[in-house]
Amino acid sequence: VSPQVNDAESTVSVEFTPTIPHCSMATLIGLSIKVKLLRSLPERFKLDVHITPGTHASEHAVNKQLADKERVAAALENSHLLEVVNQCLSARS
């Protein structure tokens, strides 16, 4: 994970690399990163979460989903998906 923060412009950009080029969890990983940032940062920040170029077979499609505010909001309205995201973000003991 490679984050870049620009406080003056209120932007945060996070680039992540899936473990394999066909990782089926890439969208869930990206959504989990985005949710963690949404919950942790002040609302003034604009977030950009995307896959490292050239590291995933469907990087364009995944990046498009993660950049679409309406699709992210719809995903988080799905109670099952929200539970999965919350499990990804929960601290393990």
Side-chain angles (χ1 to χ4, degrees), residues 8-64:
E9 294 182 12
S10 298
T11 61
V12 175
S13 178
V14 176
E15 191 172 271
F16 71 98
T17 304
T19 53
I20 58 173
H22 296 284
C23 179
S24 62
M25 304 290 281
T27 305
L28 177 60
I29 293 166
L31 183 60
S32 297
I33 293 168
K34 193 158 196 160
V35 167
K36 180 65 174 181
L37 292 170
L38 286 169
R39 291 177 181 174
S40 303
L41 294 171
E43 287 185 31
R44 69 182 173 92
F45 281 95
K46 182 181 183 315
L47 304 176
D48 174 33
V49 176
H50 58 274
I51 292 177
T52 305
T55 62
H56 193 273
S58 303
E59 86 181 59
H60 178 72
V62 173
N63 288 341
K64 187 175 179 180

Side-chain angles (χ1 to χ4, degrees), residues 48-92:
D48 174 33
V49 176
H50 58 274
I51 292 177
T52 305
T55 62
H56 193 273
S58 303
E59 86 181 59
H60 178 72
V62 173
N63 288 341
K64 187 175 179 180
Q65 286 181 316
L66 293 172
D68 187 331
K69 288 181 180 180
E70 290 179 8
R71 289 179 99 172
V72 170
L76 298 177
E77 288 177 5
N78 178 319
S79 60
H80 175 70
L81 186 54
L82 183 58
E83 178 61 30
V84 172
V85 168
N86 286 333
Q87 287 176 3
C88 289
L89 298 177
S90 69
R92 307 256 191 251

